[in-house]
Amino acid sequence: MGTVRWRLSLLGSCGLVLCCGALAPAARAQELGGAGTIQGTVKDPTGGVMVAVPVGLRNPVTGFKRSTATDAAGRFLFRNLPPNHYHVEIATPGFDAIERDVDVRTGVPIDLELSLTLTGTTAAVEVIGHAEDLVERDPTAHTDIDQSLISRLPLESVSGLNQVITLASPGVVSDSN
C-alpha cells in the first residue's frame, strides 16, 4: 500500500510540474506581448542635447504615472507600457514646457524628437498695408503706356498707334507684311 501512495504522489507532483510548465509561457506572452516603448531625445534651440531634464509620462484616465530624466546623450526611455493613450510632459527652468500626446498601440518603439524653446523668446510680426501705398491697384498683368514711354520708343513716323502697341506690349510680334 505504501508503494501505491508513493506512486500516486509522484504522479501528482509530475502533473503539477507539467501543468505549471505549460502555463508559464502563456503568462510570459501576456506580460510582454502588448508592451510598448516611448523613447526620444530632448534638444535645446540650437540642436544640442540637454542632460538631466525631467520627463514625465502619465495617463489621466487610468492614473498611470512614470518619470525619468534624460541621460548624457539627451535621451529618455519608457519601456513595458500597456497599449493606451499617454501624455508626455517636459518642464525645466528657463525653457517653455512641452506636452505631447502619444498613442501606444503596438510593440514598435515610438521615437520623439523634442526641442525646447527659451522662455520669453517668442516674436510676432504684424504686417499692415494700405491700397493707397501701392503703385498699382490692378492685380492683372498689364502695361501702362503714357507719353514718356512713347517718346522713348523707336517709332517710324508712318506706323502710329499700332507700332506703339507692338513695341510696348510684351509677347507681341509685328507682322512681316
Side-chain angles (χ1 to χ4, degrees):
M1 188 104 82
T3 42
V4 173
R5 284 188 186 168
W6 182 77
R7 285 182 187 165
L8 287 176
S9 66
L10 181 62
L11 185 60
S13 311
C14 289
L16 181 62
V17 169
L18 289 174
C19 182
C20 291
L23 295 177
R28 253 185 274 129
Q30 285 181 343
E31 183 178 279
L32 298 176
T37 301
I38 296 176
Q39 61 190 11
T41 306
V42 178
K43 296 184 177 183
D44 64 9
T46 64
V49 296
M50 297 191 62
V51 179
V53 174
V55 180
L57 180 72
R58 67 182 176 91
N59 182 322
V61 176
T62 62
F64 180 89
K65 289 183 182 180
R66 283 195 195 166
S67 62
T68 188
T70 58
D71 61 8
R75 301 205 35 89
F76 63 91
L77 177 67
F78 294 104
R79 285 191 176 146
N80 296 328
L81 300 173
N84 216 332
H85 179 77
Y86 295 99
H87 190 72
V88 178
E89 301 171 335
I90 300 174
T92 189
F95 295 92
D96 291 333
I98 293 179
E99 297 180 356
R100 294 283 189 277
D101 291 327
V102 180
D103 285 325
V104 174
R105 297 287 173 225
T106 65
V108 177
I110 298 170
D111 198 17
L112 301 174
E113 187 83 18
L114 303 171
S115 181
L116 295 173
T117 58
L118 293 172
T119 303
T121 59
T122 57
V125 176
E126 185 176 343
V127 178
I128 300 173
H130 300 284
E132 295 81 33
D133 296 340
L134 298 175
V135 175
E136 293 288 336
R137 292 187 186 174
D138 185 11
T140 61
H142 65 279
T143 303
D144 293 328
I145 300 175
D146 60 354
Q147 191 61 34
S148 65
L149 179 62
I150 294 173
S151 66
R152 289 181 286 154
L153 290 175
L155 297 175
E156 298 174 7
S157 61
V158 194
S159 301
L161 186 59
N162 288 339
Q163 191 175 14
V164 170
I165 293 172
T166 303
L167 292 174
S169 302
V172 176
V173 178
S174 63
D175 196 9
S176 62
N177 293 331

